[in-house]
Amino acid sequence: MKREELLAPDSYNLVEEIERYATGDGKLAILWENDQGEKHQLTYDELIEHANRAANSFETAGLVKGDVVLVMVPRLIEAYVAYIGALKAGLAVIPSSEMLRAKDIAYRLNHSDAKAVIAYEPFMDQFEGVKEMDNVVKFVIGKSGSSWISLVDEMAAASPEYIAAPTKKDDMAFLSYTSGTTGNPKGAVHSHGWAYAHLRTSAEHWLGAKEGMLFGQPQVQVGKNGFGVRS
C-alpha cells in the first residue's frame, strides 16, 4: 500500500466513513445483545439520525468545534451514538473506563481543559467530589440529577439533521490517556487523519474485516436505560 493512499483529504471528518452507508436501504450497523439474550439493533440510517440529534444537543448546550468531552459510557449502542455525534460536531473525545475514580477524572478534566462530560447513569457517583465538574457541561444517559442534562430528553427534542463541523485531517478526534503506571497519565492525540489511515490498514490487513461480516465485542452487565429515540 502506497503512503499516499493513507493520507486523508485536507477537509475530513472520520464520521464520513460511517455516514456513507446511511443510504436508506436499512443496512444493519450495530447489533447489541447482553448475557440475558436481550437484543437491540440500529441501521446506519438510524445511527446517523441519532448521532445528528446528539450533535445538535451538544451544540445547543454551547459546545463548539474543538471542545473536548470526556465520555464514560459502556459498550451500549448509546456510546456509539454519543461518540459519532461528538465527532461530527467537531468535538474531541476522551474515551474513559468506568474504572476511573475521582482523582483520575479530575486529572483528565484539568489536563485536557474538557468542556463537557457524558456519563452513564450507574457511573454518576464516580464524579462526586470532583470539583472540576462545576466547570463542565454534564450530560447523563439515564435519569438526570439537578445539575445533569438528560441526553435522552435533549435528543428527543433535537433535529435529526446536522451539517458536520468543518474539520481538517489534523484536527483532534480522540484524546486517549495512558495508564499512568510511571507517573501521571499521558494524553495521546489521534487526529481525524489518523483514523483515515487506521481504517485502511488495521481493518483489512490486520483483522481481515470485509463488508458484511459480523464482529463482536464483550459486553458488561448494564441496565435498560436508553435513548428511546425512534427514526
Side-chain angles (χ1 to χ4, degrees), residues 1-141:
M1 182 173 251
K2 296 180 180 178
R3 177 180 179 275
E4 291 75 17
E5 296 175 353
L6 301 179
L7 299 178
D10 287 338
S11 295
Y12 175 75
N13 187 298
L14 71 88
V15 175
E16 297 172 22
E17 306 288 352
I18 304 168
E19 201 159 21
R20 62 194 177 99
Y21 292 104
T23 57
D25 60 358
K27 185 177 180 62
L28 184 64
I30 301 175
L31 174 61
W32 180 89
E33 182 177 358
N34 65 13
D35 57 2
Q36 298 175 347
E38 297 172 312
K39 296 181 180 181
H40 184 36
Q41 63 185 40
L42 226 59
T43 66
Y44 280 97
D45 298 280
E46 293 169 331
L47 178 59
I48 293 300
E49 180 186 315
H50 291 0
N52 287 345
R53 291 180 184 271
N56 279 308
S57 299
F58 300 146
E59 191 172 284
T60 298
L63 301 180
V64 297
K65 177 182 175 291
D67 283 346
V68 177
V69 54
L70 184 149
V71 181
M72 188 186 287
V73 182
R75 291 192 182 105
L76 300 168
I77 286 179
E78 289 84 352
Y80 298 97
V81 170
Y83 274 52
I84 295 169
L87 292 167
K88 190 170 181 179
L91 309 179
V93 173
I94 301 176
S96 302
S97 165
E98 59 271 18
M99 296 176 66
L100 296 181
R101 294 300 177 255
K103 65 179 181 63
D104 306 310
I105 295 169
Y107 176 81
R108 285 160 173 75
L109 294 179
N110 267 322
H111 185 267
S112 67
D113 192 26
K115 296 297 189 293
V117 165
I118 305 172
Y120 184 50
E121 182 188 347
F123 305 149
M124 287 175 63
D125 59 352
Q126 292 170 220
F127 294 88
E128 293 179 2
V130 179
K131 60 181 178 58
E132 288 79 4
M133 290 294 290
D134 295 336
N135 303 318
V136 300
V137 179
K138 296 177 281 292
F139 287 102
V140 60
I141 296 172

Side-chain angles (χ1 to χ4, degrees), residues 194-214:
W194 163 85
Y196 182 92
H198 187 69
L199 286 170
R200 284 155 179 77
T201 53
S202 64
E204 180 179 356
H205 299 289
W206 298 345
L207 301 177
K210 303 293 183 182
E211 184 174 346
M213 287 183 174
L214 181 65

